Amino acid sequence: MLRYTIQTIRYDERNSISNFDQMNSQELEMAFQKMVEKNKLVRFSQEREAKQKGYKIDENYQDPDVWSYVK
C-alpha cells in the first residue's frame, strides 16, 4: 500500500502559526515575521554546533521569501 500526502506551502506555513484563523492580515504577517526570525536563530545555533563538529555549512544559502504564498 502506498499513500501520498501533498501540502502546499500556504497550508504548511499557516498551520505553523497558532490561532492563524483568528488573526487579521496584519496580525498574521507580524506572527509570520516573528516565526521567520525565530527560525533564523534556531538555524544559526544549529549551524554553529555543526561547524564545531567539523561539518561544512553553505553560508550563502538564502531562504526563499514565501510570504506571498502564505497571505
Side-chain angles (χ1 to χ4, degrees):
M1 180 181 276
L2 181 65
R3 180 178 184 172
Y4 288 99
T5 301
I6 299 173
Q7 293 181 351
T8 64
I9 189 69
R10 179 183 176 115
Y11 178 85
D12 190 49
E13 293 294 324
R14 282 185 170 226
N15 283 338
S16 65
I17 300 171
S18 60
N19 298 326
F20 79 89
D21 55 337
Q22 299 172 0
M23 296 180 181
N24 63 32
S25 61
Q26 292 173 339
E27 292 170 333
L28 180 62
E29 185 173 7
M30 287 175 45
F32 177 77
Q33 292 302 330
K34 285 181 185 179
M35 184 185 67
V36 167
E37 291 301 316
K38 180 182 174 188
N39 289 345
K40 283 182 183 179
L41 291 174
V42 169
R43 179 178 171 178
F44 178 74
S45 67
Q46 289 175 342
E47 286 180 352
R48 185 177 52 218
E49 288 178 25
K51 284 181 194 176
Q52 290 173 351
K53 292 179 181 178
Y55 291 95
K56 293 181 181 178
I57 304 294
D58 179 7
E59 296 180 14
N60 295 322
Y61 178 82
Q62 294 181 359
D63 291 321
D65 182 14
V66 296
W67 173 245
S68 60
Y69 303 109
V70 175
K71 59 181 175 178

Coordinates of all heavy atoms in Angstrom, one line a residue:
M1 N 0.8 -1.2 0.0 CA 0.0 0.0 0.0 C 0.9 1.2 0.0 O 1.9 1.3 0.7 CB -0.9 0.0 1.2 CG -1.8 1.2 1.3 SD -2.9 1.2 2.7 CE -4.2 0.2 2.2
L2 N 0.5 2.2 -0.7 CA 1.3 3.5 -0.9 C 0.3 4.6 -0.6 O -0.8 4.6 -1.2 CB 1.9 3.5 -2.3 CG 2.7 4.7 -2.6 CD1 4.0 4.8 -1.7 CD2 3.2 4.7 -4.0
R3 N 0.8 5.6 0.1 CA -0.1 6.7 0.4 C 0.8 8.0 0.2 O 1.9 8.1 0.7 CB -0.6 6.7 1.8 CG -1.5 7.8 2.2 CD -2.0 7.7 3.6 NE -2.9 8.7 3.9 CZ -3.6 8.8 5.0 NH1 -3.5 7.9 5.9 NH2 -4.4 9.8 5.2
Y4 N 0.2 9.0 -0.5 CA 0.8 10.3 -0.7 C 0.1 11.3 0.0 O -1.2 11.3 0.0 CB 0.9 10.7 -2.2 CG 1.8 9.9 -3.0 CD1 1.4 8.8 -3.8 CD2 3.2 10.2 -3.1 CE1 2.3 8.1 -4.5 CE2 4.1 9.5 -3.8 CZ 3.6 8.4 -4.6 OH 4.5 7.7 -5.3
T5 N 0.8 12.3 0.6 CA 0.1 13.5 1.2 C 0.8 14.7 0.6 O 2.1 14.8 0.7 CB 0.3 13.4 2.7 OG1 -0.3 12.3 3.2 CG2 -0.4 14.7 3.3
I6 N 0.1 15.6 0.1 CA 0.6 16.8 -0.5 C 0.1 18.0 0.2 O -1.1 18.1 0.4 CB 0.2 16.9 -2.0 CG1 0.8 15.7 -2.8 CG2 0.7 18.2 -2.6 CD1 0.3 15.6 -4.2
Q7 N 1.0 18.8 0.7 CA 0.7 20.0 1.4 C 1.3 21.2 0.7 O 2.5 21.2 0.3 CB 1.2 20.0 2.9 CG 0.6 18.9 3.7 CD 1.1 18.9 5.1 OE1 2.1 19.6 5.4 NE2 0.5 18.2 6.0
T8 N 0.5 22.2 0.5 CA 1.0 23.4 -0.1 C 1.8 24.2 1.0 O 1.7 24.0 2.2 CB -0.1 24.3 -0.6 OG1 -0.9 24.8 0.5 CG2 -1.0 23.6 -1.6
I9 N 2.7 25.1 0.5 CA 3.4 26.0 1.4 C 2.5 26.9 2.2 O 2.7 27.1 3.4 CB 4.5 26.9 0.6 CG1 5.4 27.6 1.6 CG2 3.8 27.9 -0.3 CD1 6.4 26.7 2.3
R10 N 1.4 27.3 1.6 CA 0.4 28.1 2.4 C -0.1 27.3 3.6 O -0.2 27.8 4.7 CB -0.7 28.5 1.4 CG -1.8 29.3 2.1 CD -2.9 29.6 1.1 NE -4.0 30.3 1.8 CZ -4.4 31.5 1.5 NH1 -3.8 32.2 0.6 NH2 -5.4 32.1 2.2
Y11 N -0.5 26.1 3.3 CA -1.1 25.2 4.4 C 0.0 25.0 5.5 O -0.3 25.1 6.7 CB -1.5 23.9 3.8 CG -2.1 22.9 4.8 CD1 -3.4 22.9 5.2 CD2 -1.2 21.9 5.3 CE1 -3.9 22.0 6.1 CE2 -1.7 21.0 6.2 CZ -3.0 21.0 6.6 OH -3.5 20.1 7.5
D12 N 1.2 24.6 5.0 CA 2.2 24.3 6.0 C 2.6 25.5 6.9 O 2.7 25.4 8.1 CB 3.4 23.8 5.2 CG 4.5 23.2 6.1 OD1 4.1 22.4 7.0 OD2 5.7 23.6 6.0
E13 N 2.8 26.7 6.2 CA 3.2 27.8 7.0 C 2.1 28.4 7.9 O 2.4 28.7 9.0 CB 3.7 29.0 6.0 CG 5.0 28.6 5.3 CD 6.2 28.5 6.2 OE1 6.3 29.3 7.2 OE2 7.0 27.7 5.9
R14 N 0.9 28.4 7.4 CA -0.2 28.9 8.2 C -0.4 28.0 9.4 O -0.7 28.5 10.5 CB -1.5 29.0 7.4 CG -1.5 30.3 6.5 CD -2.8 30.4 5.8 NE -2.9 31.7 5.2 CZ -3.9 32.5 5.3 NH1 -5.0 32.1 5.9 NH2 -3.9 33.7 4.7
N15 N -0.3 26.7 9.2 CA -0.5 25.8 10.4 C 0.6 25.8 11.4 O 0.4 25.3 12.5 CB -0.8 24.4 9.8 CG -2.1 24.2 9.3 OD1 -3.1 24.9 9.6 ND2 -2.3 23.2 8.4
S16 N 1.7 26.4 11.0 CA 2.8 26.5 12.0 C 2.6 27.7 12.9 O 3.3 27.9 13.9 CB 4.1 26.6 11.3 OG 4.2 27.8 10.5
I17 N 1.6 28.5 12.6 CA 1.3 29.7 13.4 C 0.0 29.4 14.2 O -1.0 29.1 13.6 CB 1.1 31.0 12.5 CG1 2.3 31.3 11.8 CG2 0.6 32.2 13.4 CD1 2.2 32.4 10.7
S18 N 0.1 29.4 15.5 CA -1.1 29.1 16.3 C -2.1 30.2 16.2 O -1.8 31.4 16.1 CB -0.7 28.9 17.8 OG -0.1 30.1 18.3
N19 N -3.4 29.8 16.1 CA -4.6 30.7 16.0 C -4.5 31.6 14.8 O -5.0 32.7 14.8 CB -4.7 31.6 17.2 CG -4.9 30.8 18.5 OD1 -5.5 29.7 18.5 ND2 -4.4 31.2 19.6
F20 N -3.9 31.1 13.7 CA -3.8 31.9 12.5 C -5.2 32.2 11.9 O -5.4 33.3 11.3 CB -3.0 31.2 11.4 CG -3.8 30.1 10.6 CD1 -4.5 30.4 9.5 CD2 -3.7 28.8 11.1 CE1 -5.2 29.4 8.8 CE2 -4.4 27.8 10.4 CZ -5.1 28.1 9.3
D21 N -6.2 31.4 12.2 CA -7.5 31.6 11.6 C -8.3 32.7 12.4 O -9.3 33.1 11.9 CB -8.3 30.3 11.7 CG -8.3 29.6 13.0 OD1 -7.5 29.9 13.8 OD2 -9.3 28.8 13.3
Q22 N -7.8 33.1 13.5 CA -8.4 34.2 14.3 C -7.7 35.5 14.1 O -8.1 36.5 14.8 CB -8.5 33.8 15.8 CG -9.2 32.5 16.0 CD -9.1 32.0 17.4 OE1 -8.4 32.6 18.2 NE2 -9.7 30.9 17.7
M23 N -6.8 35.6 13.2 CA -6.0 36.8 13.0 C -6.4 37.6 11.8 O -6.9 36.9 10.8 CB -4.5 36.5 12.9 CG -3.9 35.8 14.0 SD -2.1 35.5 13.7 CE -1.6 34.7 15.2
N24 N -6.3 38.9 11.8 CA -6.5 39.6 10.6 C -5.2 39.6 9.8 O -4.2 39.0 10.3 CB -6.9 41.1 10.9 CG -5.9 41.9 11.7 OD1 -4.7 41.7 11.5 ND2 -6.4 42.8 12.5
S25 N -5.1 40.2 8.7 CA -4.0 40.1 7.8 C -2.7 40.7 8.4 O -1.6 40.2 8.2 CB -4.3 40.7 6.4 OG -4.5 42.1 6.6
Q26 N -2.9 41.8 9.1 CA -1.7 42.4 9.7 C -1.1 41.6 10.9 O 0.1 41.4 11.0 CB -2.0 43.8 10.2 CG -2.3 44.8 9.1 CD -2.8 46.1 9.7 OE1 -3.3 46.2 10.8 NE2 -2.8 47.2 8.9
E27 N -2.0 41.0 11.7 CA -1.5 40.2 12.8 C -0.9 38.9 12.2 O 0.1 38.4 12.8 CB -2.7 39.8 13.7 CG -3.3 40.9 14.4 CD -4.6 40.6 15.1 OE1 -5.3 39.6 14.6 OE2 -4.9 41.2 16.1
L28 N -1.4 38.4 11.1 CA -0.8 37.2 10.5 C 0.6 37.5 10.0 O 1.5 36.7 10.2 CB -1.7 36.7 9.4 CG -1.2 35.4 8.7 CD1 -1.1 34.2 9.6 CD2 -2.1 35.1 7.5
E29 N 0.7 38.6 9.4 CA 2.0 39.0 8.8 C 3.1 39.2 10.0 O 4.2 38.7 9.9 CB 2.0 40.3 8.0 CG 3.3 40.6 7.3 CD 3.2 41.8 6.3 OE1 2.1 42.4 6.2 OE2 4.2 42.0 5.7
M30 N 2.6 39.8 11.1 CA 3.5 40.0 12.2 C 3.9 38.7 12.8 O 5.1 38.4 13.1 CB 2.9 40.9 13.2 CG 2.8 42.4 12.8 SD 2.0 43.5 14.0 CE 2.6 43.0 15.5
A31 N 3.0 37.8 13.0 CA 3.2 36.4 13.5 C 4.2 35.7 12.6 O 5.1 35.0 13.1 CB 1.9 35.7 13.7
F32 N 4.0 35.8 11.3 CA 4.8 35.1 10.3 C 6.3 35.6 10.4 O 7.2 34.9 10.4 CB 4.3 35.3 8.9 CG 5.1 34.7 7.9 CD1 5.1 33.3 7.6 CD2 6.0 35.5 7.1 CE1 5.9 32.8 6.7 CE2 6.8 34.9 6.1 CZ 6.7 33.6 5.9
Q33 N 6.4 37.0 10.5 CA 7.8 37.6 10.6 C 8.5 37.1 11.9 O 9.7 36.8 11.9 CB 7.7 39.1 10.5 CG 7.3 39.6 9.2 CD 8.2 39.1 8.1 OE1 9.4 38.9 8.2 NE2 7.6 39.0 6.9
K34 N 7.7 37.0 13.0 CA 8.3 36.6 14.3 C 8.8 35.1 14.1 O 9.8 34.7 14.6 CB 7.3 36.7 15.4 CG 7.1 38.1 15.9 CD 6.1 38.1 17.1 CE 5.8 39.5 17.5 NZ 4.8 39.5 18.6
M35 N 8.0 34.3 13.5 CA 8.3 32.9 13.2 C 9.6 32.8 12.4 O 10.5 32.0 12.7 CB 7.2 32.2 12.6 CG 7.4 30.7 12.4 SD 6.1 29.8 11.5 CE 6.3 30.6 9.9
V36 N 9.7 33.6 11.4 CA 10.9 33.6 10.5 C 12.1 34.0 11.3 O 13.2 33.3 11.2 CB 10.7 34.6 9.3 CG1 12.0 34.9 8.6 CG2 9.6 34.1 8.4
E37 N 12.0 35.0 12.1 CA 13.2 35.4 13.0 C 13.6 34.3 13.9 O 14.7 34.0 14.1 CB 12.9 36.7 13.7 CG 12.8 37.9 12.8 CD 14.1 38.2 12.0 OE1 15.2 38.1 12.6 OE2 14.0 38.4 10.8
K38 N 12.6 33.7 14.5 CA 12.8 32.6 15.5 C 13.5 31.4 14.7 O 14.5 30.9 15.2 CB 11.6 32.1 16.1 CG 11.7 31.0 17.1 CD 10.4 30.5 17.6 CE 10.6 29.3 18.5 NZ 9.4 28.7 18.9
N39 N 13.1 31.1 13.6 CA 13.7 30.0 12.8 C 15.1 30.4 12.4 O 16.0 29.5 12.4 CB 12.8 29.7 11.5 CG 11.5 29.1 11.8 OD1 11.3 28.6 12.9 ND2 10.6 29.1 10.9
K40 N 15.4 31.6 12.1 CA 16.8 32.0 11.8 C 17.7 31.8 13.0 O 18.8 31.4 12.8 CB 16.8 33.5 11.4 CG 16.3 33.7 10.0 CD 16.4 35.2 9.6 CE 15.9 35.5 8.2 NZ 15.9 36.9 7.8
L41 N 17.2 32.2 14.2 CA 18.0 32.0 15.4 C 18.3 30.5 15.6 O 19.4 30.1 16.0 CB 17.4 32.6 16.6 CG 17.3 34.1 16.6 CD1 16.5 34.6 17.8 CD2 18.7 34.7 16.6
V42 N 17.3 29.7 15.5 CA 17.4 28.2 15.7 C 18.4 27.7 14.6 O 19.3 26.9 15.0 CB 16.1 27.5 15.5 CG1 16.3 26.0 15.5 CG2 15.2 27.9 16.7
R43 N 18.3 28.1 13.4 CA 19.2 27.6 12.3 C 20.6 28.1 12.6 O 21.6 27.3 12.5 CB 18.7 28.2 11.0 CG 19.6 27.8 9.9 CD 19.1 28.3 8.6 NE 20.0 28.1 7.5 CZ 19.9 28.4 6.3 NH1 18.7 29.0 5.9 NH2 20.8 28.2 5.4
F44 N 20.8 29.3 13.1 CA 22.1 29.8 13.4 C 22.8 29.0 14.4 O 24.0 28.6 14.3 CB 22.1 31.3 13.8 CG 23.4 31.9 14.2 CD1 24.3 32.2 13.2 CD2 23.7 32.1 15.5 CE1 25.6 32.7 13.6 CE2 24.9 32.6 15.9 CZ 25.9 32.9 14.9
S45 N 22.1 28.7 15.5 CA 22.7 27.9 16.6 C 22.9 26.4 16.1 O 24.0 25.9 16.5 CB 21.8 27.9 17.8 OG 20.6 27.2 17.6
Q46 N 22.1 25.9 15.3 CA 22.3 24.5 14.8 C 23.5 24.5 13.9 O 24.3 23.5 13.9 CB 21.1 24.0 14.1 CG 19.9 23.6 15.1 CD 18.7 23.2 14.4 OE1 18.5 23.4 13.2 NE2 17.8 22.6 15.2
E47 N 23.7 25.5 13.0 CA 24.8 25.6 12.1 C 26.1 25.7 12.9 O 27.1 25.2 12.6 CB 24.6 26.7 11.1 CG 23.6 26.4 10.1 CD 23.5 27.6 9.1 OE1 24.0 28.7 9.3 OE2 22.7 27.4 8.1
R48 N 26.1 26.5 14.0 CA 27.3 26.7 14.8 C 27.7 25.4 15.4 O 28.9 25.1 15.4 CB 27.0 27.8 15.9 CG 28.2 28.1 16.7 CD 28.0 29.2 17.7 NE 26.8 28.9 18.5 CZ 25.9 29.8 18.9 NH1 26.0 31.0 18.6 NH2 24.9 29.4 19.7
E49 N 26.7 24.6 15.9 CA 27.0 23.3 16.5 C 27.6 22.4 15.5 O 28.6 21.7 15.7 CB 25.8 22.7 17.1 CG 25.3 23.4 18.4 CD 24.0 22.7 18.9 OE1 23.8 21.6 18.6 OE2 23.3 23.4 19.7
A50 N 27.0 22.4 14.3 CA 27.5 21.5 13.2 C 28.9 21.9 12.8 O 29.8 21.0 12.5 CB 26.6 21.6 12.0
K51 N 29.2 23.2 12.7 CA 30.6 23.6 12.4 C 31.6 23.2 13.5 O 32.7 22.7 13.1 CB 30.7 25.2 12.3 CG 30.1 25.8 11.1 CD 30.2 27.3 11.1 CE 29.4 27.9 10.1 NZ 29.5 29.4 10.2
Q52 N 31.2 23.2 14.7 CA 32.1 22.8 15.8 C 32.4 21.3 15.7 O 33.4 20.8 16.1 CB 31.5 23.1 17.2 CG 31.5 24.6 17.5 CD 30.7 24.9 18.8 OE1 30.0 24.0 19.3 NE2 30.8 26.1 19.2
K53 N 31.4 20.5 15.1 CA 31.6 19.1 14.9 C 32.4 18.8 13.6 O 32.6 17.6 13.3 CB 30.3 18.4 14.9 CG 29.6 18.4 16.2 CD 28.2 17.8 16.2 CE 27.5 17.8 17.5 NZ 26.2 17.2 17.5
G54 N 32.7 19.8 12.9 CA 33.5 19.6 11.7 C 32.8 19.6 10.4 O 33.3 19.4 9.3
Y55 N 31.5 19.8 10.4 CA 30.7 19.9 9.1 C 30.9 21.2 8.4 O 31.1 22.2 9.0 CB 29.2 19.7 9.4 CG 28.8 18.4 9.9 CD1 28.7 18.1 11.3 CD2 28.6 17.3 9.1 CE1 28.4 16.8 11.8 CE2 28.2 16.1 9.5 CZ 28.1 15.8 10.9 OH 27.8 14.6 11.3
K56 N 30.8 21.1 7.1 CA 30.9 22.3 6.3 C 29.5 22.8 6.0 O 28.6 22.1 5.7 CB 31.6 22.1 4.9 CG 33.0 21.7 5.1 CD 33.7 21.5 3.8 CE 35.1 21.1 3.9 NZ 35.7 20.8 2.6
I57 N 29.2 24.1 6.2 CA 27.9 24.7 6.0 C 27.9 25.7 4.9 O 28.8 26.6 4.8 CB 27.5 25.5 7.3 CG1 27.6 24.6 8.5 CG2 26.1 26.1 7.2 CD1 26.6 23.4 8.5
D58 N 27.0 25.6 4.0 CA 26.8 26.6 2.9 C 26.2 27.9 3.5 O 25.0 27.9 3.7 CB 25.9 26.0 1.8 CG 25.7 27.0 0.7 OD1 26.4 28.1 0.6 OD2 24.9 26.7 -0.2
E59 N 27.0 28.8 3.8 CA 26.5 30.1 4.4 C 26.0 31.1 3.4 O 25.4 32.1 3.8 CB 27.7 30.7 5.2 CG 28.1 29.8 6.3 CD 29.2 30.4 7.1 OE1 29.5 31.6 7.0 OE2 29.9 29.7 7.9
N60 N 26.0 30.8 2.1 CA 25.4 31.6 1.1 C 24.0 31.3 0.8 O 23.3 32.0 0.1 CB 26.2 31.5 -0.2 CG 27.6 32.0 -0.1 OD1 27.9 33.0 0.6 ND2 28.6 31.3 -0.7
Y61 N 23.5 30.3 1.4 CA 22.1 29.9 1.2 C 21.1 31.0 1.8 O 21.3 31.5 2.8 CB 21.8 28.6 1.9 CG 20.3 28.1 1.8 CD1 19.9 27.5 0.6 CD2 19.4 28.4 2.7 CE1 18.6 27.1 0.4 CE2 18.1 28.0 2.6 CZ 17.7 27.3 1.4 OH 16.4 27.0 1.3
Q62 N 20.1 31.3 1.0 CA 19.1 32.2 1.4 C 17.7 31.5 1.4 O 17.4 30.9 0.4 CB 19.1 33.4 0.5 CG 20.3 34.3 0.6 CD 20.2 35.5 -0.3 OE1 19.2 35.7 -1.0 NE2 21.2 36.3 -0.3
D63 N 17.0 31.6 2.5 CA 15.6 31.0 2.5 C 14.8 31.8 1.5 O 14.8 33.0 1.4 CB 15.0 31.2 3.9 CG 15.7 30.3 4.9 OD1 16.1 29.1 4.5 OD2 15.9 30.7 6.0
P64 N 13.9 31.1 0.8 CA 13.0 31.8 -0.2 C 12.0 32.6 0.6 O 11.6 32.3 1.7 CB 12.4 30.6 -0.9 CG 12.5 29.4 0.0 CD 13.7 29.6 0.8
D65 N 11.5 33.7 0.0 CA 10.5 34.5 0.5 C 9.1 33.9 0.2 O 8.7 33.9 -0.9 CB 10.6 35.9 0.0 CG 9.6 36.9 0.6 OD1 9.0 36.5 1.6 OD2 9.3 37.9 0.0
V66 N 8.5 33.3 1.2 CA 7.3 32.6 1.0 C 6.0 33.4 1.4 O 4.9 32.9 1.3 CB 7.3 31.2 1.6 CG1 8.3 30.3 1.0 CG2 7.4 31.3 3.1
W67 N 6.2 34.6 1.9 CA 5.1 35.3 2.4 C 4.0 35.5 1.3 O 2.8 35.5 1.6 CB 5.5 36.7 2.9 CG 4.4 37.6 3.3 CD1 4.0 38.7 2.7 CD2 3.4 37.3 4.3 NE1 2.9 39.2 3.3 CE2 2.5 38.3 4.2 CE3 3.2 36.3 5.2 CZ2 1.4 38.4 5.1 CZ3 2.1 36.3 6.0 CH2 1.2 37.4 6.0
S68 N 4.4 35.7 0.1 CA 3.4 35.9 -1.0 C 2.5 34.7 -1.1 O 1.4 34.8 -1.6 CB 4.1 36.3 -2.3 OG 4.9 35.2 -2.7
Y69 N 3.0 33.5 -0.8 CA 2.2 32.3 -0.8 C 1.4 32.1 0.4 O 0.4 31.4 0.4 CB 3.1 31.1 -1.1 CG 3.9 31.2 -2.3 CD1 5.3 31.4 -2.2 CD2 3.3 31.2 -3.6 CE1 6.0 31.6 -3.4 CE2 4.1 31.3 -4.7 CZ 5.4 31.5 -4.6 OH 6.2 31.7 -5.7
V70 N 1.8 32.7 1.5 CA 1.1 32.5 2.8 C -0.1 33.4 3.0 O -1.2 33.0 3.5 CB 2.1 32.7 4.0 CG1 1.4 32.6 5.3 CG2 3.2 31.7 3.9
K71 N 0.0 34.6 2.5 CA -1.1 35.6 2.8 C -2.3 35.3 2.0 O -2.4 34.5 1.1 CB -0.6 37.0 2.5 CG -0.2 37.2 1.1 CD 0.2 38.7 0.9 CE 0.8 38.9 -0.4 NZ 1.2 40.2 -0.6

